[in-house]
Amino acid sequence: MTESEDKFAKHNARMKRVQAAREKMQARRTIERGLLIVHTGNGKGKSSSAFGMAIRSLGWGMKVGIVQYVKGSWETGEKNFFQANPDLLTFEVMGDGFTWDTQDREQDIAAAKAAWERSKELIMDPDYDFIILDELNIVLRDDTLDIKEITEFLKQRPLEKHICITGRNAKPELVEMADLVTEFDEVKHPFKAGFKAQKGVEY
């Protein structure tokens, strides 16, 4: 056996052991129910990742609903795409924009409450399998909605569906109760080098 053949044989044997260990580990995972997912952190990609899961869900024939809490009238690629393809999923933009743009606390609260009521309807609708609450963390961070009301409802949610909540500064109460939490960390961002926000990348 040549040196290369010996190296490949050792690699193959090691991968066989890894495969057996993976199969044993997977066999112990028996819980199957909807997940409460939180995407948070200062890094880019929280909403983008959620939309990726929406596409995966659609690929399995699941029914998806998305409620956007903040982006308001801002034109985004996802808004253009989903509005041009309304049969794919339910996509509702219910925010009035960032607080520094609205400059109206009463308006912000009213918009957030309306979005939350719609979110609850979608979550309780048995036809839906996956609900994304995009930027809900932002309105919770600003105390525009009551975190206790949100968590109490989520504790009673139908457990057969997935819910993904995105946005920076997720409340500790939400992180604690979630099944899957991912912290998106910024390593480098072109904005700091003077780049404008880029279509297709950031919106």
Side-chain angles (χ1 to χ4, degrees):
M1 180 181 291
T2 66
E3 183 178 345
S4 293
E5 289 172 336
D6 181 58
K7 185 177 180 180
F8 291 154
K10 288 179 179 177
H11 169 82
N12 293 345
R14 186 170 70 253
M15 290 304 101
K16 188 173 183 178
R17 293 193 298 271
V18 170
Q19 182 186 51
R22 295 286 302 177
E23 289 175 351
K24 186 176 180 180
M25 179 181 70
Q26 290 293 341
R28 293 196 296 266
R29 271 60 177 177
T30 58
I31 299 172
E32 186 171 353
R33 67 161 174 80
L35 298 177
L36 179 59
I37 303 164
V38 173
H39 290 176
T40 192
N42 292 329
K44 183 215 167 322
K46 298 175 286 294
S47 296
S48 302
S49 177
F51 299 149
M53 287 192 292
I55 293 170
R56 281 182 171 171
S57 298
L58 293 172
W60 287 106
M62 299 164 72
K63 188 168 183 179
V64 179
I66 300 174
V67 178
Q68 287 196 315
Y69 275 76
V70 174
K71 294 185 172 73
S73 60
W74 188 17
E75 184 180 11
T76 64
E78 65 268 19
K79 181 178 179 180
N80 291 340
F81 178 77
F82 292 130
Q83 288 184 346
N85 298 275
D87 295 336
L88 283 179
L89 51 72
T90 298
F91 182 80
E92 301 191 23
V93 181
M94 301 195 68
D96 288 332
F98 294 102
T99 54
W100 56 83
D101 290 325
T102 64
Q103 301 173 26
D104 188 330
R105 177 71 172 167
E106 187 176 1
Q107 177 183 333
D108 294 339
I109 292 172
K113 285 184 175 180
W116 175 238
E117 290 303 315
R118 182 58 178 142
S119 300
K120 290 193 291 184
E121 290 175 1
L122 292 173
I123 290 169
M124 297 306 296
D125 189 330
D127 289 339
Y128 284 86
D129 304 294
F130 190 1
I131 304 297
I132 295 171
L133 308 180
D134 189 36
E135 307 287 12
L136 174 58
N137 285 335
I138 300 299
V139 298
L140 290 174
R141 176 197 66 189
D142 296 337
D143 296 319
T144 309
L145 290 175
D146 180 9
I147 182 61
K148 185 175 180 181
E149 177 185 348
I150 305 301
T151 55
E152 286 302 315
F153 176 83
L154 291 175
K155 287 176 185 176
Q156 307 301 320
R157 72 192 186 277
L159 293 179
E160 66 272 12
K161 69 184 63 185
H162 302 300
I163 301 171
C164 181
I165 298 172
T166 74
R168 298 179 181 213
N169 306 114
K171 291 277 191 177
E173 299 94 323
L174 196 55
V175 170
E176 176 64 27
M177 72 182 299
D179 300 297
L180 171 61
V181 180
T182 302
E183 181 88 16
F184 288 71
D185 186 31
E186 181 180 311
V187 177
K188 191 174 184 180
H189 199 294
F191 185 77
K192 293 181 178 178
F195 286 82
K196 295 172 62 176
Q198 303 293 306
K199 289 181 180 179
V201 177
E202 290 166 301
Y203 68 95

